[in-house]
């Protein structure tokens, strides 16, 4: 089976950047639409109660956790974005990793843009959330409301975990595949040693066996 060659680092970085920009654009476009057409806190059924749009402004994380420390989430998202950009520029050569990191980066940038540029101010802005799917939270009263960026963040993190579990490296190799040349070299050395031993033949260890090329000893006269 023919395998695709790994991407060059520049190509992987370009793919990550393109996907990140697309996700960021989709997230900000959807938020702008709901800001123009929805009233805060008013539920609009889209697919009955299973899918609703409810505009809220979230200063914290999921379930409105950490509302008083918005700046911490801003710093955390900036760090995550920075790490992804660093990996894209230096290490990523796998198409799968490039796609996953590109989508994850786009989601992170979507919410980071809200933190940086929305009210009430720089680095403490509230994230625009509007998607409500109560069935995902077992119809609990405090079901989380999320946005497009959150979908790609959660999906991207799950995909990263999956790639780590199955052992795909950032350069596209697998952990076992990377160690294969060393193992093959060890097997080759062992085969070479066995061949050399076979060519040498068994060693003469019995002193009682005479060398057929040696002259015969004279016969001793009987008394």
């Amino acid at each position: 089976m023919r395998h695709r060659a790994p991407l060059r680092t520049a190509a992987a970085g370009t793919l990550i950047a393109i996907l990140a920009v697309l996700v960021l654009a989709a997230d900000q476009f959807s938020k702008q639409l709901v800001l123009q057409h929805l009233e805060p806190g008013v539920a609009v059924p889209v697919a009955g109660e299973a899918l609703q749009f409810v505009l809220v402004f979230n200063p914290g994380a999921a379930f409105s956790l950490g509302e008083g420390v918005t700046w911490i989430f801003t710093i955390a998202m900036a760090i995550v974005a920075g790490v992804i950009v660093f990996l894209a520029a230096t290490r990523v050569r796998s198409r799968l990793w490039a796609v996953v990191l590109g989508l994850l980066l786009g989601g992170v940038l979507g919410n980071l843009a809200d933190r940086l540029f929305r009210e009430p101010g720089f680095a403490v802005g509230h994230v625009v959330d509007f998607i409500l799917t109560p069935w995902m939270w077992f119809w609990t009263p405090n079901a989380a409301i999320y946005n497009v960026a959150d979908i790609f963040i959660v999906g991207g993190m799950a995909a990263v975990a999956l790639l780590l579990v199955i052992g795909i490296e950032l350069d596209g190799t697998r952990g076992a595949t990377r160690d294969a040349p060393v193992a093959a070299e060890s097997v080759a050395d062992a085969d070479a040693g066995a061949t050399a031993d076979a060519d040498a033949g068994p060693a003469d260890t019995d002193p009682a066996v005479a060398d057929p090329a040696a002259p015969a000893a004279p016969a001793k006269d009987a008394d």
Side-chain angles (χ1 to χ4, degrees):
M1 179 178 179
R2 185 177 181 181
H3 297 280
R4 290 184 178 181
L7 295 175
R8 293 186 177 182
T9 304
T14 301
L15 178 57
I16 291 174
I18 291 173
L19 293 175
V21 169
L22 290 176
V23 172
L24 173 61
D27 174 70
Q28 292 298 308
F29 179 73
S30 64
K31 289 172 179 176
Q32 193 60 34
L33 283 180
V34 299
L35 286 172
Q36 293 176 356
H37 296 93
L38 297 182
E39 293 292 331
V42 178
V44 177
V46 178
E49 294 186 356
L51 173 61
Q52 306 171 50
F53 285 167
V54 184
L55 175 60
V56 297
F57 300 94
N58 185 6
F63 301 99
S64 297
L65 298 176
E67 293 183 357
V69 288
T70 303
W71 58 274
I72 292 180
F73 300 110
T74 303
I75 294 175
M77 286 188 292
I79 292 174
V80 171
V83 169
I84 295 175
V85 171
F86 171 77
L87 293 176
T90 60
R91 297 185 59 186
V92 176
R93 298 187 65 195
S94 163
R95 288 178 177 82
L96 280 176
W97 272 106
V99 170
V100 169
L101 292 179
L103 298 179
L104 176 58
L105 178 60
V108 171
L109 292 178
N111 283 345
L112 181 59
D114 286 7
R115 297 294 186 196
L116 293 177
F117 304 117
R118 295 193 186 278
E119 296 294 336
F122 182 79
V124 292
H126 295 177
V127 173
V128 176
D129 291 330
F130 61 93
I131 303 173
L132 174 61
T133 49
W135 56 271
M136 290 180 60
W137 318 103
F138 305 101
W139 302 94
T140 58
N142 297 322
I145 302 174
Y146 53 97
N147 55 43
V148 173
D150 293 330
I151 296 173
F152 286 98
I153 290 174
V154 174
M157 292 175 62
V160 167
L162 178 60
L163 290 176
L164 292 174
V165 168
I166 62 180
I168 296 181
E169 305 290 341
L170 291 172
D171 60 0
T173 62
R174 291 179 180 268
T177 304
R178 185 174 58 183
D179 297 336
V182 177
E185 183 178 354
S186 299
V187 172
D189 291 342
D191 289 343
T195 302
D197 292 342
D199 292 341
D204 295 333
T205 57
D206 187 358
V209 178
D211 185 352
K220 186 177 180 181
D221 296 337
D223 291 339

